[in-house]
Amino acid sequence: MVQIETDKELTQPQAEEQATMTCNCTEAVEYQKEKQRKEKAMMNVSALFGENAAPDKRCGEGIVNILKAAVEEIYTGGLAKVTLNLRGGVKASISQNAKGEINVERTETKKQKLTE
C-alpha cells in the first residue's frame, strides 16, 4: 500500500502508475526497469532519426512515428524486430536483445556505381 500526495486529481490508472513507480517490491521494480528501457529507446529514436538528430540525419515525422510505434510494439511483446529501408541507403532497425534491452540502430550505406 502506497500513499501519494499530489496537487491535482489523478484518475485511477494514473494513481496506480504513480504508486507503482514509487514502490520497491520486485514486480514494481521490474516494471520500472521496463518502462525506463522503453523511454530510453524512444529517446534513441529521437537522437538517431528525429528532432534530436543532426539536421542532415533527420527523417520525416511519419517515419519517426513508425519507429516509435515499433518501439511500443517491441516493448509490449508484439514484435521481435523491425527494419525499415529508408531512402538514401539508410536502414533503421529496432530489436530487443536477450537482456530485454531495446536496441535502436541506424545504418548508412554509401555505395557508388558507374555504368557505361
Side-chain angles (χ1 to χ4, degrees):
M1 181 80 102
V2 176
Q3 184 173 351
I4 300 169
E5 288 187 34
T6 181
D7 295 340
K8 58 183 179 177
E9 281 291 316
L10 297 177
T11 64
Q12 185 64 28
Q14 289 172 328
E16 290 172 2
E17 171 80 9
Q18 193 165 0
T20 302
M21 294 307 288
T22 58
C23 185
N24 59 5
C25 68
T26 306
E27 293 85 9
V29 170
E30 188 59 34
Y31 175 82
Q32 293 164 15
K33 286 181 187 176
E34 288 295 320
K35 187 167 183 183
Q36 288 172 349
R37 286 179 181 148
K38 176 185 161 191
E39 289 170 358
K40 177 78 171 157
M42 292 291 193
M43 290 187 317
N44 289 341
V45 166
S46 178
L48 291 176
F49 302 97
E51 59 273 5
N52 294 331
D56 62 324
K57 305 281 186 186
R58 290 183 187 149
C59 295
E61 185 179 342
I63 291 171
V64 172
N65 288 340
I66 291 170
L67 294 172
K68 286 183 176 182
V71 168
E72 185 69 41
E73 284 299 318
I74 288 172
Y75 170 73
T76 59
L79 292 172
K81 181 177 182 176
V82 171
T83 302
L84 295 180
N85 292 330
L86 309 176
R87 299 217 182 266
V90 177
K91 282 188 181 184
S93 181
I94 302 175
S95 61
Q96 190 170 31
N97 65 19
K99 295 178 186 176
E101 300 165 335
I102 300 174
N103 298 318
V104 179
E105 187 176 309
R106 178 187 182 107
T107 307
E108 295 185 39
T109 306
K110 299 287 185 199
K111 190 176 186 180
Q112 287 185 315
K113 182 178 181 179
L114 300 174
T115 306
E116 290 185 281

